[in-house]
Amino acid sequence: VRDLDCAVLAMRYPVGDDFAITLAAELYERLLGKRQRLARALQLALPEALGERPQPGTPSLSVATPALFGRRAVGLALKPPPSAATDFAPPPTGLAYFPPEPERFVGRVGPMSRASAALAPHSGQTGILFHGMAGAGKTACALELAYRYESGRFQGFVWHKAPDEGSDIEGALLNLALDMERQLPGLQMAHLVDRAEEFAAWLPRLTELLERHSILFVLDNLESLLTPTGRWRDERWGHLVKALLAHHGLSRTVLTSCRRPADLGEEGRMLVEPIHALSLSEAALLARELPNLGRLLRGESEVGLTEGRKLVVRTLAVVQGHPKLIELAEGQAGDPEALAAHLERAAAAWAGGEGRLRAFFQQGESPFEAEEFLAALANWTQGLAVALPPASRTLFHFLCCLEEADRQSWIVETNWGDLWQRLERPGEAPDLAATLKPLATAGLVEARSLEEEGKEIGFLYNLHPGVAEAGRTEAGDDFQAAVDTELAAFWMSGWQHGLKAEMHGGGWLVVQAGRSVAPYLLRQKRWDEAYILLEEAIHRDSSPATMATVLPLLRRIAAETKGTKEGLRSAGVLANALLMASRWPEAEAMMRDIVRRAAGWGDFRTASVAMGYVINILRDTGQAKEALALVGEKKGYTRRAGLGPWSQLSDEVQRLQLLTVLGRYEEVLSEVETLREQMRALPEESEQEEAYIPWNVREAILNAGHMVATRLGQWETMLALNAEAAASVEARGALALEVAQTRFNDYGPLLRLGRYKEARALLHACRAVFEQEGDVAYLGKVFGALADLENRLGHGGQAIAFSDTALRYSYLAGAPEDCAIGHFNLGELLMRGGGSPEPALAHRLAAGVIDFQSGSGHLLSTRPTLAQHLASFAPDPPPLPASFDELCRMVEAVEGVRFRELFERLPRRAASGDEALWEVVRLAQEIDS
């Protein structure tokens, strides 16, 4: 090849795998990543591959092995194909939102090489589906693929993990949209997902984006979105996936799922790769690298070379390339005689007998399907468990019966001795570490280090899902019941401790215990305890992820207790959860029904609590006057229930919140100080029954004072009140979302006091938390605050862009007051921007219409500002919209604004949109005259 017009890199002698892999990685990083010529790239890559001294995988001869041949070898440079011309600005974060790259990745050469080919610019395929049984390595394949293409091939990356199976998926598509907007700045999608027709009409725009740009999407864990037959539980997901695949551009989509979706759109667009077992060559390579099987292959065991190799060949035939079965066989290979006996037992369990097992050697791939692998894994697991020492078998069953998140060393250690006694095993519980060792040796359990701030804090005992399921089945119902009883007692004790220590940082434990205990309680049908602990958890953590987990549990409890008094209270907790998830219509209907039924049964405590939620719903949907009329009824229920002073104080706080919305600021601020004095005189633990937690009432009073101080421009008072509220929130160990929501309240006074640097740092920190948690309402608030900041710094264009985004999120959240504020602020920015006056006036009029219809106190500030705006056009007439329809058209030019729909939900102070519009104009002109 020396005289040929080509370039060849050849190995003149055999080399080890370690050397070959490292050399290839270093060489191509320099060729493609750093654009070096081939000769220079090889010169620099070779020392990296050799290391400082010879190793078994890189013997001394390796240095003389790589050689270049051909005329073009010296000057050859490789240039990746150019991306399509684009104005898309790739975010600088790269794969920052992706999970870490897998520490170990073995085999999968066939699927990964075909997947790499599908990612090629002109492959003709736009997607890859990795599907197969749980624990097979689908996510690892997707991550390995993404990290191989971190540089050069793609301009942008999106990672999204769908909810775990069994979670509520109603908000799943919104969470995807928020992830996409966060990882692809400039994309606007979230406001469309709840409107099927609008969403379907928008999807071609997404396809066009993928056609013009080069973006890699990885959508993980999609089985929760699919029925057992592979149909989409929400058809919008099916439309979305088809849109992601329908283009002819450079973008690609990678999906992972235990189930294969039945409909993936156009034939041939998606590469479908089942991930079950390794190929024969990959399985053999893995066996060679494992300590025990490797010794058998090298003849280093007591059975010698010939018998050792026969045993490994038999092992490969029986495990059929399944990674977990190979791992289990490795655990037994330390005792060749035991391995041989187990292999014969396991071989008999495979359907089709020796003929199908031998096909693995003939075809290089296993002929077995996922269900057959799971059955074989269960059979192998049961065989290993039978051979374990009795104490180790008990520990194995214990770990299998635990919820996955509870397989942590501190939880296992705390409960191991008590469970041993509960099971009436003889004597004291044996040492945990010694008892665990046979499980780790057998490959049934892997102990992974848990770290916090770089320090090891314990271990996570990891079990393959198929192994855990087999272990639970073998343990039996009585054993599972004992574990459920023990862990329920453990978490309820933790919950009680968290409550007592809440004001000393114990709040996180109340949340963790409430979420963790639920599965154990539900299996025991302890419905009342379950909903009480879940209620306490969501009071402290109402993030979308928590609500998605909790809602299905609360729906089940409500269904199981329907028709009973406890069922009424559990329905109230469910309705509250729906309210927290912004499902207002369903929540309001349930709450009103609960008030009626509870009062009829004489359960005035439940009636009082439910009425409080009805009042909050009315307040948040622009019906403050109607809500204020119900406060007296709520007080009556509180009194008849015999609830204590904190509950009575909470009723007063709700009244003050409504008066604030209605604009009675001085009155509220005066009463807040009175309530604060009353609060200081109250003991933390009331002698009477309370429906509300003292810290909840305290923080609500402080927030009410903060709100009216905002309206009155008392900036130092705002900072002082919020500092007290934040101290309370942080003292009780609240989670990051609640801390950020509280700290966010400081941005206003910081801006007014000219402390811009502090305000910017605060807003960016809060934004990161709100994006991470998917808090749509607070995303609207934080973008509005960023618009305010940029405006004060003289960045008018950026301020308007942020204000548009704020308004879009506010409409998505649906609170009329926030929408009115968003319109008002955008109108202010547009007026200062010096553009056409019509849009600025339209947004101010929209704010006035919302405030007027809902009876909001914001009209006190909107009205004079609007009057000044109208007067500024004198002597010419102001460019008013010709009608309400025209007003809707103008303000709905902002993406995501649904002004007409919002108006239809508001109270009817004016009978029609036109009447409301002209009444707002008249009120403004009255001031000017």
Side-chain angles (χ1 to χ4, degrees):
V1 295
R2 291 179 187 276
D3 298 326
L4 296 179
D5 188 21
C6 64
V8 176
L9 172 62
M11 299 293 177
R12 292 182 289 189
Y13 311 105
V15 296
D17 290 330
D18 294 344
F19 174 76
I21 291 169
T22 306
L23 179 65
E26 295 291 338
L27 177 70
Y28 282 103
E29 170 61 26
R30 286 165 172 76
L31 274 173
L32 297 175
K34 298 182 179 178
R35 309 292 177 87
Q36 294 171 345
R37 297 186 183 278
L38 177 58
R40 179 62 172 163
L42 179 60
Q43 180 186 18
L44 296 175
L46 190 56
E48 296 293 334
L50 290 170
E52 295 181 1
R53 59 180 63 87
Q55 300 289 335
T58 56
S60 300
L61 191 58
S62 298
V63 69
T65 299
L68 292 176
F69 300 92
R71 290 195 189 106
R72 301 178 61 192
V74 175
L76 179 68
L78 297 182
K79 187 176 182 180
S83 299
T86 175
D87 58 357
F88 175 72
T93 51
L95 297 173
Y97 294 100
F98 280 54
E101 186 175 8
E103 291 184 11
R104 292 184 299 166
F105 188 80
V106 178
R108 308 299 186 193
V109 172
M112 292 300 289
S113 62
R114 290 186 290 272
S116 294
L119 291 188
H122 304 294
S123 67
Q125 293 177 308
T126 51
I128 302 159
L129 170 67
F130 293 121
H131 74 96
M133 58 186 170
K138 303 177 294 297
T139 300
C141 286
L143 288 172
E144 183 74 11
L145 201 60
Y147 276 95
R148 296 288 71 77
Y149 288 89
E150 185 173 9
S151 301
R153 168 68 176 87
F154 295 101
Q155 297 167 286
F157 298 86
V158 173
W159 166 271
H160 176 76
K161 180 180 179 293
D164 291 331
E165 196 138 27
S167 298
D168 181 86
I169 69 161
E170 184 164 331
L173 192 57
L174 173 60
N175 291 335
L176 167 65
L178 293 173
D179 277 349
M180 288 173 64
E181 291 191 6
R182 178 167 48 148
Q183 297 174 58
L184 297 176
L187 182 71
Q188 296 183 342
M189 174 184 174
H191 62 286
L192 297 160
V193 298
D194 64 337
R195 309 297 173 95
E197 292 184 5
E198 292 182 35
F199 181 59
W202 174 82
L203 285 174
R205 291 167 58 185
L206 175 62
T207 302
E208 181 185 2
L209 175 76
L210 304 185
E211 182 92 34
R212 291 188 290 111
H213 307 303
S214 181
I215 304 169
L216 179 64
F217 289 84
V218 181
L219 307 184
D220 186 42
N221 201 53
L222 296 186
E223 60 267 13
S224 64
L225 308 173
L226 295 163
T227 67
T229 60
R231 299 291 176 186
W232 295 102
R233 293 169 60 190
D234 180 342
E235 64 179 11
R236 294 175 299 169
W237 278 93
H239 297 323
L240 172 70
V241 169
K242 289 179 182 178
L244 290 172
L245 302 176
H247 63 90
H248 295 84
L250 298 177
S251 297
R252 298 292 183 265
T253 298
V254 180
L255 311 177
T256 77
S257 174
C258 289
R259 302 187 187 99
R260 177 175 174 170
D263 184 7
L264 289 172
E266 183 182 342
E267 187 73 24
R269 308 291 289 168
M270 174 73 81
L271 171 70
V272 178
E273 288 290 341
I275 303 296
H276 299 314
L278 302 173
S279 67
L280 174 61
S281 58
E282 292 167 344
L285 178 62
L286 178 58
R288 190 184 77 175
E289 295 178 353
L290 292 171
N292 292 332
L293 290 173
R295 278 195 291 272
L296 288 172
L297 279 172
R298 294 188 297 271
E300 297 172 359
S301 74
E302 62 268 29
V303 298
L305 180 63
T306 302
E307 291 302 316
R309 290 186 172 179
K310 285 182 180 179
L311 191 54
V312 172
V313 170
R314 183 59 174 163
T315 299
L316 293 176
V318 174
V319 301
Q320 291 287 297
H322 189 288
K324 187 60 188 179
L325 290 176
I326 295 174
E327 188 180 338
L328 295 177
E330 160 66 16
Q332 289 192 287
D335 183 348
E337 184 177 345
L339 174 61
H342 190 83
L343 288 173
E344 295 314 305
R345 177 181 177 276
W350 282 107
E354 294 293 334
R356 288 188 78 192
L357 293 178
R358 284 195 298 271
F360 186 42
F361 293 98
Q362 298 161 0
Q363 301 168 9
E365 302 283 347
S366 176
F368 293 97
E369 299 293 332
E371 293 76 11
E372 294 172 296
F373 275 114
L374 286 173
L377 184 58
N379 179 273
W380 195 299
T381 300
Q382 290 164 2
L384 290 179
V386 167
L388 290 170
S392 295
R393 190 183 315 129
T394 298
L395 178 59
F396 173 59
H397 290 159
F398 176 31
L399 294 173
C400 291
C401 291
L402 284 175
E403 293 295 307
E404 183 178 0
D406 287 348
R407 294 172 188 152
Q408 298 181 45
S409 54
W410 72 275
I411 296 175
V412 175
E413 289 167 5
T414 304
N415 290 280
W416 171 234
D418 291 336
L419 178 68
W420 187 268
Q421 299 302 322
R422 188 179 295 278
L423 293 169
E424 298 182 350
R425 299 292 194 264
E428 295 293 322
D431 177 70
L432 185 62
T435 310
L436 182 69
K437 190 172 182 180
L439 304 182
T441 301
L444 292 169
V445 177
E446 177 188 8
R448 294 182 180 176
S449 177
L450 285 174
E451 294 186 355
E452 187 175 280
E453 298 180 354
K455 297 181 180 180
E456 185 176 274
I457 59 171
F459 296 94
L460 175 66
Y461 299 125
N462 187 53
L463 282 74
H464 186 282
V467 169
E469 180 61 33
R472 279 192 297 272
T473 301
E474 185 183 65
D477 293 342
D478 290 344
F479 195 104
Q480 178 71 69
V483 173
D484 290 344
T485 301
E486 182 61 41
L487 267 293
F490 166 74
W491 281 121
M492 291 187 74
S493 175
W495 176 73
Q496 292 166 351
H497 176 75
L499 285 177
K500 291 178 180 177
E502 185 155 27
M503 294 314 299
H504 302 284
W508 67 273
L509 187 54
V510 179
V511 175
Q512 183 173 351
R515 291 183 57 174
S516 300
V517 77
Y520 303 109
L521 292 175
L522 293 184
R523 280 194 289 268
Q524 298 175 77
K525 300 183 178 181
R526 294 162 64 179
W527 315 118
D528 53 341
E529 294 164 284
Y531 80 72
I532 289 171
L533 269 71
L534 287 172
E535 180 181 29
E536 295 291 346
I538 63 177
H539 275 163
R540 295 159 177 83
D541 178 16
S542 59
S543 64
T546 294
M547 302 314 298
T549 302
V550 166
L551 275 170
L553 303 177
L554 290 174
R555 288 190 188 278
R556 181 184 170 193
I557 294 169
E560 294 284 355
T561 58
K562 188 175 181 179
T564 67
K565 195 168 184 178
E566 284 302 321
L568 194 62
R569 294 190 175 184
S570 65
V573 178
L574 171 59
N576 182 33
L578 291 168
L579 174 59
M580 291 179 172
S582 298
R583 302 184 195 177
W584 288 331
E586 186 179 1
E588 182 179 356
M590 287 186 67
M591 286 296 185
R592 288 186 180 276
D593 181 61
I594 290 167
V595 170
R596 179 185 57 80
R597 290 164 56 200
W601 287 3
D603 184 356
F604 298 112
R605 182 190 188 280
T606 299
S608 173
V609 172
M611 181 60 82
Y613 290 130
V614 171
I615 290 170
N616 288 343
I617 293 170
L618 293 175
R619 181 196 68 206
D620 292 341
T621 54
Q623 303 172 74
K625 287 189 175 180
E626 292 80 352
L628 188 60
L630 296 177
V631 171
E633 186 177 343
K634 181 184 186 329
K635 288 183 176 181
Y637 292 141
T638 301
R639 186 172 56 255
R640 296 178 72 180
L643 297 176
W646 286 103
S647 300
Q648 295 172 38
L649 207 57
S650 178
D651 291 347
E652 294 301 327
V653 174
Q654 276 199 304
R655 185 178 66 85
L656 295 185
Q657 290 170 339
L658 294 167
L659 293 178
T660 302
V661 173
L662 295 172
R664 293 157 64 175
Y665 305 141
E666 296 286 358
E667 178 183 350
V668 172
L669 191 58
S670 173
E671 290 199 40
V672 163
E673 289 306 315
T674 301
L675 293 183
R676 289 181 73 186
E677 289 300 321
Q678 293 181 21
M679 178 177 64
R680 294 187 186 104
L682 292 178
E684 282 295 314
E685 294 187 11
S686 175
E687 295 181 358
Q688 297 172 259
E689 182 184 0
E690 298 284 2
Y692 300 96
I693 308 165
W695 61 254
N696 196 313
V697 180
R698 180 186 302 108
E699 291 169 18
I701 291 173
L702 293 170
N703 289 335
H706 180 278
M707 188 176 295
V708 292
T710 302
R711 304 292 187 263
L712 297 170
Q714 299 183 12
W715 315 128
E716 295 293 352
T717 301
M718 290 173 64
L719 289 173
L721 288 169
N722 201 52
E724 192 174 337
S728 174
V729 169
E730 292 174 7
R732 57 184 170 85
L735 301 185
L737 178 59
E738 192 174 0
V739 172
Q741 289 171 342
T742 304
R743 290 185 60 234
F744 171 76
N745 292 330
D746 278 342
Y747 98 86
L750 289 176
L751 284 186
R752 273 65 182 181
L753 294 170
R755 295 158 63 177
Y756 298 147
K757 187 175 181 180
E758 293 175 68
R760 183 181 293 280
L762 170 66
L763 292 177
H764 283 298
C766 291
R767 176 183 172 180
V769 176
F770 300 152
E771 287 181 333
Q772 177 67 34
E773 300 293 344
D775 190 325
V776 175
Y778 269 87
L779 280 172
K781 295 176 189 294
V782 81
F783 275 107
L786 286 168
D788 195 356
L789 173 61
E790 295 299 335
N791 179 54
R792 289 172 182 272
L793 294 174
H795 307 150
Q798 183 61 69
I800 291 173
F802 278 147
S803 193
D804 281 351
T805 301
L807 195 53
R808 185 166 62 91
Y809 280 127
S810 293
Y811 267 90
L812 183 58
E817 182 177 0
D818 290 342
C819 295
I821 293 171
H823 279 297
F824 183 86
N825 291 342
L826 180 55
E828 179 77 12
L829 293 171
L830 291 172
M831 186 182 73
R832 291 176 180 272
S836 174
E838 286 87 349
L841 182 56
H843 282 287
R844 282 187 162 174
L845 287 169
V849 167
I850 296 171
D851 289 339
F852 176 77
Q853 289 293 86
S854 58
S856 171
H858 280 293
L859 192 59
L860 296 175
S861 57
T862 304
R863 186 182 172 195
T865 305
L866 183 56
Q868 293 173 10
H869 196 170
L870 292 173
S872 68
F873 295 101
D876 298 322
L880 295 170
S883 65
F884 179 74
D885 288 342
E886 178 69 8
L887 176 64
C888 292
R889 184 191 66 76
M890 294 175 72
V891 298
E892 288 178 358
V894 176
E895 192 77 23
V897 170
R898 297 163 181 159
F899 179 65
R900 187 188 301 277
E901 292 182 17
L902 176 62
F903 180 85
E904 294 299 326
R905 299 203 321 262
L906 296 174
R908 290 285 181 175
R909 287 188 68 189
S912 69
D914 284 323
E915 288 184 28
L917 171 60
W918 301 124
E919 182 62 16
V920 168
V921 172
R922 185 189 67 78
L923 289 171
Q925 290 174 335
E926 274 185 357
I927 293 179
D928 184 49
S929 61

